[in-house]
Amino acid sequence: MISQFFILSPRGDVIIRRDYLGNVPKTSTETFFRTSKFYKAGDEAPPIFLVDGVSYLSVKDGGVHLVATTRDNVSPSFVLEFLKRISIIIKVGPCSSRGAAAGGWPCSRFAMAAAAAAAAAAAAAAA
């Protein structure tokens, strides 16, 4: 079962965050960003890694990270496919500070609402 779902901008800002179970620390977005940004000797972080008993599963699309966290043993292929399908549904494109200021896609409120609705529907279907 997925504990959290969030989308991070290239700078690490939280675009969308939803906590489903409450068993993962609220600082998980920062933990994910720091770990993925400063991964071993500058290498790119793998799509799945474990920090302090929390599994972080992520897909990078259009410069943004779609991330799911869990403490349970879940099927990694299922969660990665779930994240990829969400990115297709919301049509993640480049997100920049200029785009966000202008309300550009995917930084618009419509995109955030669509992503939250898609995540909630998928989580309900998976449960």
Side-chain angles (χ1 to χ4, degrees):
M1 176 72 65
I2 294 173
S3 298
Q4 293 178 339
F5 168 77
F6 51 89
I7 299 177
L8 295 179
S9 73
R11 296 183 331 164
D13 301 322
V14 177
I15 298 173
I16 295 174
R17 183 180 172 280
R18 174 72 180 176
D19 191 346
Y20 295 104
L21 300 179
N23 63 351
V24 174
K26 296 194 183 301
T27 59
S28 61
T29 55
E30 184 177 326
T31 302
F32 170 80
F33 184 72
R34 288 180 189 236
T35 304
S36 65
K37 184 82 170 176
F38 305 111
Y39 198 72
K40 301 174 185 170
D43 291 339
E44 188 170 328
I48 303 168
F49 56 87
L50 182 73
V51 177
D52 297 329
V54 178
S55 299
Y56 294 87
L57 300 98
S58 67
V59 170
K60 187 174 182 180
D61 194 7
V64 298
H65 288 277
L66 286 85
V67 184
T69 63
T70 184
R71 286 195 181 267
D72 299 331
N73 187 13
V74 297
S75 169
S77 59
F78 172 76
V79 176
L80 292 176
E81 180 69 20
F82 164 73
L83 294 173
K84 186 62 179 169
R85 287 185 185 210
I86 288 178
S87 74
I88 291 169
I89 289 170
I90 63 173
K91 298 179 184 180
V92 173
C95 184
S96 66
S97 56
R98 284 186 291 157
W105 185 264
C107 301
S108 68
R109 289 185 180 164
F110 174 75
M112 289 191 253

